[in-house]
Amino acid sequence: SQKIEQNSEALNIQEGKTATLTCNYTNYSPAYLQWYRQDPGRGPVFLLLIRENEKEKRKERLKVTFDTTLKQSLFHITASQPADSATYLCALDAGNMLTFGGGTRLMVKP
Amino acid sequence: DAGITQSPRHKVTETGTPVTLRCHQTENHRYMYWYRQDPGHGLRLIHYSYGVKDTDKGEVSDGYSVSRSKTEDFLLTLESATSSQTSVYFCAISGGTSPWEFGYEQYFGPGTRLTVT
């Protein structure tokens, strides 16, 4: 079965620095991978998706990379702000079906 | 925000009682999903629907049933609630139209916090 792993430990960084979150997967080669943000007490919100042949995708201060050889996606937030503090989830896209990782909590300190 | 609501938002019930959670969408999307979220397990798919009266099981479907009699409503029923079903339940929708379509993001509802005592 598909397995998708994110660092379960919280990531603490200083405001202004770049946050890098990792998503690793096994037993599957997804054509797409999606990233979501989840704030406490709320449902996840879609941020970005990347296709296997895109390697890198950007949206404002967000950047996602997708390495199908390493079976890994990296999610970067540049010039991080305290408002970026949240849990970030990655998800394998299996065709209208998503398998989510456990999420990584990001804390940006002022 | 996508037009998706869940009711109730909070519920406390006793072991052995039936519970029904409702998801309502105003987007006319074909796909609807029920997930549960627990510490240490992340989001896990319970059941999903790809059209009216068309449903299928997800990863953790035991003890749950679903129904979809209208495009806009997707119901999740716990026939006899157990303490292991204490969780936060999320409904989601997607704009895809067939099983082999990729790249459709999901829109999530606000969640229902269910406690089974």
Side-chain angles (χ1 to χ4, degrees):
Chain A
S1 63
Q2 303 166 18
K3 189 173 182 180
I4 181 166
E5 293 183 343
Q6 297 182 255
N7 192 342
S8 59
E9 294 183 9
L11 177 63
N12 294 292
I13 65 168
Q14 205 68 32
E15 181 177 9
K17 301 294 186 183
T18 296
T20 299
L21 286 68
T22 304
C23 176
N24 295 297
Y25 59 92
T26 59
N27 297 338
Y28 188 69
S29 296
Y32 288 76
L33 193 143
Q34 302 189 17
W35 283 88
Y36 290 75
R37 169 182 173 143
Q38 186 174 23
D39 292 289
R42 303 180 72 106
V45 174
F46 171 78
L47 295 174
L48 282 170
L49 70 84
I50 185 166
R51 290 190 292 265
E52 61 179 341
N53 61 355
E54 286 188 308
K55 304 304 180 190
E56 179 180 301
K57 191 108 174 248
R58 293 175 184 262
K59 179 182 177 182
E60 298 173 350
R61 295 184 295 110
L62 309 180
K63 184 179 84 171
V64 174
T65 63
F66 194 8
D67 189 325
T68 55
T69 300
L70 292 178
K71 293 187 181 295
Q72 181 180 81
S73 176
L74 299 179
F75 178 83
H76 307 272
I77 305 176
T78 59
S80 60
Q81 306 165 1
D84 294 325
S85 298
T87 296
Y88 292 86
L89 310 171
C90 66
L92 301 182
D93 187 337
N96 278 314
M97 296 283 289
L98 297 181
T99 299
F100 284 88
T104 298
R105 186 180 177 199
L106 173 66
M107 297 288 293
V108 182
K109 298 181 179 180
Chain B
D1 289 345
I4 177 168
T5 57
Q6 294 183 231
S7 60
R9 294 293 314 280
H10 301 272
K11 187 169 181 68
V12 180
T13 191
E14 293 184 349
T15 297
T17 59
V19 177
T20 295
L21 308 183
R22 179 181 184 240
C23 177
H24 179 78
Q25 61 145 331
T26 59
E27 306 297 320
N28 201 35
H29 282 345
R30 181 175 179 181
Y31 276 81
M32 299 185 74
Y33 311 83
W34 277 107
Y35 293 90
R36 60 178 289 174
Q37 188 171 39
D38 306 286
H41 290 281
L43 275 166
R44 293 180 292 174
L45 182 65
I46 305 171
H47 281 279
Y48 68 99
S49 170
Y50 46 96
V52 173
K53 298 191 188 302
D54 292 323
T55 65
D56 206 346
K57 297 178 179 180
E59 176 188 359
V60 289
S61 59
D62 287 349
Y64 302 94
S65 63
V66 290
S67 65
R68 191 166 177 201
S69 58
K70 297 185 291 185
T71 298
E72 57 267 34
D73 290 325
F74 192 31
L75 304 181
L76 177 70
T77 297
L78 291 66
E79 302 290 348
S80 178
T82 68
S83 59
S84 65
Q85 293 176 311
T86 292
S87 186
V88 179
Y89 291 85
F90 287 101
C91 177
I93 62 176
S94 170
T97 59
S98 71
W100 305 114
E101 286 180 327
F102 295 85
Y104 282 91
E105 65 264 34
Q106 293 186 9
Y107 302 95
F108 284 80
T112 294
R113 184 172 294 276
L114 176 67
T115 302
V116 183
T117 61

